[in-house]
Amino acid sequence: MMLALFIVPLFYIFLFFPALAQNSRHDQRPTQRQLQADIERREALKFRNTSMKPATTSSEPLTKRDGTKYVFMHHIVGSIYPYVYNDWLNDVKQISAMGVDAVALNIGSDVWQWDRVVDAYNAAAASGTGLKMFISFDYTSFVCDNGYATTNWTNYFAKYSAQFTVNSKPMISTYGGGYDCLGVDNWKAVKANTNGYLMPFFWDSENTFKTDWAFLDSWYCWGCAWPQGDWDKNTTDDQYYIQQLGAGRYATTVSGWFFTHLSSKNFYLRGDDWLLINRWDELFQLRDQLTFVEMVTWNDYGESDYFGPFEGAQPAGTYWAQNYPHTAWISLSQYYISAYKTGAYPTITQDVVYWWSRPHPALATATSDSLGRPTGYNWADDYLWAAAFCTSTCTVTLTLGSSTQTFSNLPYGVNKLKLPLAVGTVGIKMVKGSTTVINASPTGFSVVATPSQYNYNVFVGAETASIAVTGTSSTSTSTMTSTSTSVTATSTSTSFTSVGCVAEGTTGTRRALTSANYTDSAMTPAKCQSFCASYTYAGTEYSSQCYCGNTITNNGATGAVVASSNCNSKCGGDSSQSCGGSYYLNLYSKSVSSSSSTKVTSTSTSTSSSASSTSSSFSSVGCIAEGTTGTRRALTGANYTDSAMTPAKCQSFCASYTYAGTEYSTQCYCGNSLTNNGATGTIVASSNCNDKCGGDSSQTCGGSYYLNLYSKSGISSSSSTSSSTSTTTTTTKSTSTTSTSASASSTPSSTSFSYVGCVAEGTTGTRRALTGASYTDSAMTPAKCETLCAGYTYAGTEYSTQCYCGNTITNNGATGSVVASSNCNYKCAGDSSQACGGSYYLSLYSKASSNSPVTTSTSSTATSTSTASAASSTSTSTSFSAVGCVAEGTTGSRYALTGANYRDSAMTTEKCQSLCAGYTYAGTEYSSECFCGNTVTNNGATGSVVDSSNCNYKCAGNSAESCGGSWYLNLYKQ
């Protein structure tokens, strides 16, 4: 009988899960030769292209010890083709805030996935969150060879500081790849050649974990997140594998839901009876036998087991994830992650009701669904599920259409509730004593009796109790005087003096200077000093890097001067000067010592119809919770991250907005309304905002999804143009400066564009009709897109959050013809009253005069997330003419053009020429690469034109154009 208990769950795992990943992941398998060529090319690029260079070359090792628990998040890289660096940065911050330790990056064989993984590792390192990354090779798509590709990927990314390691060994995980792929001997070779820590998921491995697979460090059970039949989830399968693997080697999974509805796989796994909560409670009970738990997944929309917001690219043929958010489960899971990792459930400090429901009864009959009901449909129970987190005794009323029930006198803690399903909308109410603290009627979801298509996914929401923020009075004119003492930020580079060669630290990120930093292939000491003008120290490193800070002894650095021979890297912009070395800084210091400060007496007078330019016009509101849906951001204007964040810095940055908010020690958010993404704008207990400011530990800068909020005292939410006059007297030794400035409107006019209509994307290549710049913004609006596309003839919004720019509209098979407006039915993410295209349909805008490009000045706050791209998009490419196909060099890095360089998955000839506007030459190569320079005979290159057949790679962003070849440039000169 005991054997039968084990066989049934395992049977279902093997029945469902070998095919589970195949639909939503990719099956393009390169040849061994292609893999080798690609790896060699990337190895060469990493020494030149800073976007490919690891943030550091060492990782702070995790030392596995008894009792320490780790939580991972599984992330499907195959679902995020449109991702850019900032998308990864947003994911990293959200996932880290949950308490997750590392992200398992599920990769297939698509060549574009390499760049996404590079961005992921770099974003994790730059975020300052401490979140790590590791590769999870999905062998339903990734190459099954002798382990060569697996070894090379592992060894390459092991160099990155964001690599998750166990006892200094890089973590290696998989989905599949056991007997049916690499096999035992090849996995032994992978382990030996990477010094890796192996934690795969192999099927068909039962009864061999102590024989064939005895060398595995761990093994995790993918299918153990869900019940494999019509029963509640239990720990029978966990106990079975613990027995199989022995103490300390078993890892497992947790998920909230599972449903997929395709011709290749059409089934539902039972998520009823509070699966997510019960599974976490089970893991809490098993924690003495576990080390690693993996959350499945962040973004597998095709299988409905996602925690993150709807982003990236939904697998073809699916429809059931969009408009069915699961993000409320993020904060719910944060509670249980803390419990699992610490061994104690945390104190509940916020009254909140989480709820989730399917959109139709299990036995409903769809009117237009050819696939029929999914296998397992009759396992589903027709209830709305809820969990009331009560800080003290409370009464909760749940309503769904005609179904309603009141649960009286619920005690402190987590109270699991359910309500029979009925047709209609949801209502949530919580009463404490005689006070109603929640009275919500969530929008965007309702239950129907007869759907057009089957959907056994759930809509997840959260309703939070709070006290409404009272608005401050508004006046059109304000006069304010402030006096402060601070270090002046007006220093020129001449105030720096050379200290010498100084070693970086030995712990953490190893960075001695932990404030601002940037990379420039034409770096010089003067450039770095100018960039670091507002800091005490500036340091150049590794030819092209610049670091700033006010202290030099961070991360184990001593600040001691070492032999100058360690700083032997020539500056990228001036080979006659040294710019540090590998983990050594050429350090420069202000003439004023780091222990003293320069007194600044500032008097500011502002008369404005909108926003004052000084932070003194802000007043503290209190601690405010972020939202529960979408990106969860209450403030959706500009945002930035600074390791030396202070309230004053944030307020200054948000000067043209009504609200400024600090969060998570280093983050700053701006906006004109604070009730976005489900946020209520209500003040909560100040204990939620307990993170010390990165730049001033005496002040608090929010918490995890809590803002320290500041509001203008006399500003309306509809700001227009502001002007300010500022007089600053700076006293150092004998310097006095006076400055007067006028600031431009924070909302640049988009009147130079006019609406064309709804236009279809193309049918070939990348399908992009507009092949210039492109952006993704979770608060996209037509005005924002038009501003971003100021240097182009056309601007187009698409898929709620995307913006595309270009000077022609007929690329990749697009006709430019206007189609029915019903095709552009996606609401703008930043303004639901406007439409932002559809799926492969653009809401298109055109300049009133298309004969010449229009350049529009935009504020830094409006484009802070895309400064690099926006800066380059204002240059036209008409001054370049084609030279021909030119070979790269034969020595050194082999690059003929050694100025700036870029990689873009939508590269075109025009885009490269625009990026290289400040150089004599522009060259495209390898479909997606762009190189700039003033000479073309570097590294052994001759600059001679060769046969055009060598430049036979189609441009990634326009298949009608050629973008070089492998070590051949399509060269242009101006």
Side-chain angles (χ1 to χ4, degrees):
M1 289 298 293
M2 286 299 289
L3 180 61
L5 288 173
F6 297 137
I7 290 174
V8 173
L10 296 176
F11 168 77
Y12 279 98
I13 292 172
F14 303 146
L15 174 66
F16 291 130
F17 289 98
L20 189 72
Q22 293 176 13
N23 177 70
S24 62
R25 296 145 206 176
H26 302 270
D27 198 24
Q28 176 188 344
R29 300 189 178 187
T31 65
Q32 189 72 22
R33 184 175 179 182
Q34 288 172 326
L35 281 168
Q36 174 63 26
D38 203 40
I39 289 167
E40 289 175 353
R41 179 169 186 79
R42 288 162 180 156
E43 284 294 315
L45 268 176
K46 72 178 181 177
F47 295 112
R48 185 170 188 279
N49 187 341
T50 57
S51 69
M52 295 289 288
K53 177 180 178 295
T56 68
T57 55
S58 66
S59 175
E60 182 179 9
L62 168 145
T63 302
K64 187 177 176 184
R65 56 194 187 277
D66 291 342
T68 307
K69 309 300 173 188
Y70 301 94
V71 176
F72 306 142
M73 178 66 76
H74 200 86
H75 199 300
I76 309 295
V77 177
S79 293
I80 51 87
Y81 176 79
Y83 260 42
V84 294
Y85 174 86
N86 282 338
D87 295 318
W88 276 115
L89 200 58
N90 288 335
D91 281 4
V92 164
K93 291 175 182 177
Q94 291 185 74
I95 293 170
S96 174
M98 298 172 69
V100 171
D101 299 291
V103 174
L105 296 169
N106 177 296
I107 65 163
S109 60
D110 293 318
V111 293
W112 58 263
Q113 293 191 29
W114 175 280
D115 290 341
R116 302 303 183 275
V117 174
V118 169
D119 281 346
Y121 272 82
N122 283 337
S127 70
T129 62
L131 187 73
K132 302 296 185 182
M133 300 277 164
F134 62 90
I135 306 295
S136 180
F137 297 92
D138 189 335
Y139 289 99
T140 64
S141 173
F142 196 79
V143 62
C144 284
D145 59 5
N146 60 359
Y148 175 85
T150 304
T151 297
N152 277 281
W153 273 76
T154 301
N155 286 339
Y156 183 85
F157 287 100
K159 305 171 187 177
Y160 281 63
S161 63
Q163 173 66 46
F164 184 86
T165 60
V166 181
N167 298 334
S168 300
K169 298 179 179 180
M171 173 74 86
I172 303 173
S173 191
T174 79
Y175 181 85
Y179 287 120
D180 60 333
C181 191
L182 269 66
V184 173
D185 289 340
N186 285 329
W187 271 113
K188 287 181 178 179
V190 168
K191 183 171 184 177
N193 292 328
T194 61
N195 189 34
Y197 184 94
L198 301 186
M199 189 192 75
F201 166 64
F202 299 154
W203 45 78
D204 296 329
S205 301
E206 285 68 29
N207 299 314
T208 62
F209 291 119
K210 295 181 181 179
T211 54
D212 289 359
W213 301 109
F215 62 93
L216 297 181
D217 300 290
S218 184
W219 178 91
Y220 79 102
C221 179
W222 176 273
C224 293
W226 307 273
Q228 304 299 318
D230 190 11
W231 53 76
D232 286 343
K233 184 73 188 80
N234 56 51
T235 62
T236 300
D237 42 11
D238 297 299
Q239 297 292 353
Y240 171 76
Y241 287 114
I242 289 171
Q243 181 186 29
Q244 285 267 312
L245 285 149
R249 293 177 71 204
Y250 176 65
T252 192
T253 49
V254 58
S255 187
W257 210 257
F258 191 99
F259 162 68
T260 186
H261 190 56
L262 295 162
S263 57
S264 59
K265 52 179 183 180
N266 180 22
F267 63 98
Y268 163 78
L269 294 180
R270 196 171 186 276
D272 304 88
D273 291 326
W274 311 276
L275 170 64
L276 181 60
I277 292 175
N278 288 346
R279 181 59 174 159
W280 274 119
D281 285 336
E282 289 173 356
L283 299 180
F284 183 86
Q285 296 301 319
L286 287 173
R287 67 184 304 276
D288 290 339
Q289 297 170 282
L290 298 172
T291 299
F292 305 120
V293 168
E294 188 157 318
M295 299 178 70
V296 180
T297 68
W298 180 252
N299 62 336
D300 200 341
Y301 312 116
E303 295 171 355
S304 307
D305 57 354
Y306 52 94
F307 288 90
F310 190 87
E311 295 175 329
Q314 188 174 3
T318 63
Y319 57 84
W320 47 85
Q322 188 169 2
N323 300 320
Y324 284 81
H326 289 186
T327 50
W329 276 342
I330 292 176
S331 57
L332 183 149
S333 295
Q334 187 176 359
Y335 174 84
Y336 288 99
I337 291 170
S338 175
Y340 169 73
K341 292 173 70 173
T342 65
Y345 287 96
T347 302
I348 296 173
T349 59
Q350 181 72 56
D351 293 296
V352 58
V353 178
Y354 297 94
W355 62 274
W356 53 99
S357 174
R358 288 181 287 102
H360 62 73
L363 300 180
T365 300
T367 59
S368 304
D369 196 318
S370 61
L371 289 179
R373 297 189 184 103
T375 301
Y377 77 92
N378 53 332
W379 298 346
D381 288 341
D382 286 337
Y383 287 96
L384 177 149
W385 307 96
F389 283 56
C390 301
T391 60
S392 59
T393 302
C394 67
T395 294
V396 172
T397 300
L398 303 179
T399 302
L400 179 54
S402 60
S403 181
T404 186
Q405 186 172 347
T406 297
F407 304 85
S408 300
N409 299 317
L410 299 175
Y412 164 87
V414 179
N415 297 273
K416 293 182 286 189
L417 316 172
K418 65 180 182 180
L419 178 72
L421 213 63
V423 172
T425 57
V426 175
I428 307 290
K429 185 177 182 180
M430 180 186 286
V431 177
K432 307 192 81 172
S434 59
T435 303
T436 298
V437 295
I438 297 175
N439 193 4
S441 300
T443 59
F445 174 79
S446 62
V447 173
V448 298
T450 306
S452 59
Q453 292 176 288
Y454 292 113
N455 190 350
Y456 288 76
N457 190 12
V458 281
F459 185 106
V460 184
E463 315 305 325
T464 304
S466 52
I467 302 171
V469 177
T470 57
T472 55
S473 60
S474 175
T475 59
S476 59
T477 305
S478 63
T479 302
M480 199 163 296
T481 302
S482 64
T483 302
S484 63
T485 301
S486 66
V487 176
T488 178
T490 59
S491 306
T492 65
S493 61
T494 56
S495 62
F496 281 96
T497 57
S498 176
V499 174
C501 186
V502 173
E504 294 275 24
T506 55
T507 62
T509 64
R510 298 190 59 183
R511 294 300 168 207
L513 299 173
T514 56
S515 295
N517 67 83
Y518 88 117
T519 299
D520 187 333
S521 61
M523 182 63 68
T524 65
K527 270 190 179 181
C528 183
Q529 292 165 23
S530 177
F531 177 74
C532 298
S534 59
Y535 295 89
T536 304
Y537 296 100
T540 55
E541 186 170 318
Y542 209 64
S543 296
S544 60
Q545 299 170 9
C546 172
Y547 297 91
C548 317
N550 292 319
T551 60
I552 190 66
T553 54
N554 300 291
N555 293 302
T558 62
V561 176
V562 298
S564 60
S565 59
N566 293 295
C567 290
N568 58 358
S569 294
K570 300 300 183 184
C571 296
D574 182 354
S575 60
S576 68
Q577 299 187 74
S578 294
C579 279
S582 179
Y583 286 99
Y584 287 92
L585 291 159
N586 270 116
L587 185 68
Y588 303 87
S589 173
K590 288 281 185 68
S591 56
V592 179
S593 70
S594 60
S595 60
S596 65
S597 61
T598 304
K599 194 170 187 179
V600 179
T601 303
S602 176
T603 303
S604 176
T605 302
S606 175
T607 302
S608 173
S609 61
S610 59
S612 164
S613 63
T614 66
S615 61
S616 57
S617 60
F618 283 95
S619 58
S620 175
V621 173
C623 186
I624 302 291
E626 292 276 24
T628 55
T629 62
T631 65
R632 298 190 61 186
R633 293 301 168 208
L635 299 174
T636 56
N639 68 84
Y640 88 117
T641 299
D642 188 331
S643 61
M645 183 63 68
T646 64
K649 270 191 179 181
C650 183
Q651 292 166 25
S652 177
F653 177 74
C654 298
S656 59
Y657 293 87
T658 304
Y659 297 100
T662 55
E663 184 170 319
Y664 208 63
S665 295
T666 61
Q667 299 171 11
C668 172
Y669 297 90
C670 317
N672 292 319
S673 64
L674 55 92
T675 53
N676 301 292
N677 294 301
T680 61
T682 55
I683 298 173
V684 298
S686 61
S687 59
N688 293 296
C689 291
N690 58 356
D691 286 6
K692 300 299 184 184
C693 296
D696 183 354
S697 60
S698 68
Q699 300 187 74
T700 56
C701 281
S704 180
Y705 284 99
Y706 288 92
L707 291 160
N708 271 117
L709 185 70
Y710 303 87
S711 172
K712 292 284 182 68
S713 57
I715 306 301
S716 65
S717 60
S718 57
S719 60
S720 54
T721 306
S722 68
S723 62
S724 65
T725 303
S726 176
T727 302
T728 304
T729 303
T730 305
T731 304
T732 53
K733 290 183 178 179
S734 60
T735 304
S736 177
T737 65
T738 302
S739 64
T740 303
S741 65
S743 63
S745 168
S746 66
T747 54
S749 172
S750 59
T751 54
S752 59
F753 281 94
S754 57
Y755 182 61
V756 173
C758 185
V759 173
E761 292 276 24
T763 55
T764 62
T766 64
R767 298 190 60 183
R768 293 301 169 207
L770 299 173
T771 56
S774 65
Y775 311 86
T776 299
D777 190 327
S778 59
M780 184 60 70
T781 65
K784 184 175 287 189
C785 182
E786 291 165 12
T787 294
L788 293 167
C789 298
Y792 293 87
T793 304
Y794 296 100
T797 55
E798 185 170 317
Y799 211 67
S800 295
T801 61
Q802 299 170 9
C803 171
Y804 297 91
C805 317
N807 292 319
T808 60
I809 189 67
T810 54
N811 300 293
N812 293 301
T815 63
S817 302
V818 176
V819 298
S821 60
S822 59
N823 292 296
C824 292
N825 59 355
Y826 281 49
K827 301 300 184 184
C828 296
D831 182 354
S832 61
S833 68
Q834 300 187 74
C836 280
S839 179
Y840 285 101
Y841 287 91
L842 290 159
S843 290
L844 185 68
Y845 301 84
S846 173
K847 289 282 182 68
S849 173
S850 60
N851 295 326
S852 60
V854 178
T855 301
T856 304
S857 174
T858 60
S859 69
S860 62
T861 55
T863 60
S864 62
T865 60
S866 55
T867 303
S869 298
S872 62
S873 68
T874 59
S875 301
T876 64
S877 57
T878 56
S879 59
F880 279 95
S881 58
V883 174
C885 186
V886 173
E888 294 276 23
T890 55
T891 62
S893 68
R894 296 189 60 184
Y895 289 108
L897 300 174
T898 56
N901 64 87
Y902 309 87
R903 176 175 287 186
D904 190 326
S905 59
M907 184 61 69
T908 64
T909 302
E910 295 78 15
K911 184 178 285 188
C912 182
Q913 293 170 7
S914 179
L915 292 167
C916 297
Y919 294 86
T920 304
Y921 294 99
T924 55
E925 185 171 318
Y926 208 68
S927 293
S928 61
E929 296 166 8
C930 172
F931 298 92
C932 316
N934 292 319
T935 60
V936 74
T937 54
N938 300 291
N939 294 300
T942 63
S944 301
V945 176
V946 299
D947 191 276
S948 61
S949 62
N950 293 294
C951 292
N952 59 355
Y953 282 50
K954 301 299 184 184
C955 295
N958 184 359
S959 60
E961 298 179 325
S962 293
C963 279
S966 180
W967 299 110
Y968 287 91
L969 290 160
N970 270 113
L971 186 68
Y972 303 87
K973 182 180 180 181
Q974 64 175 347

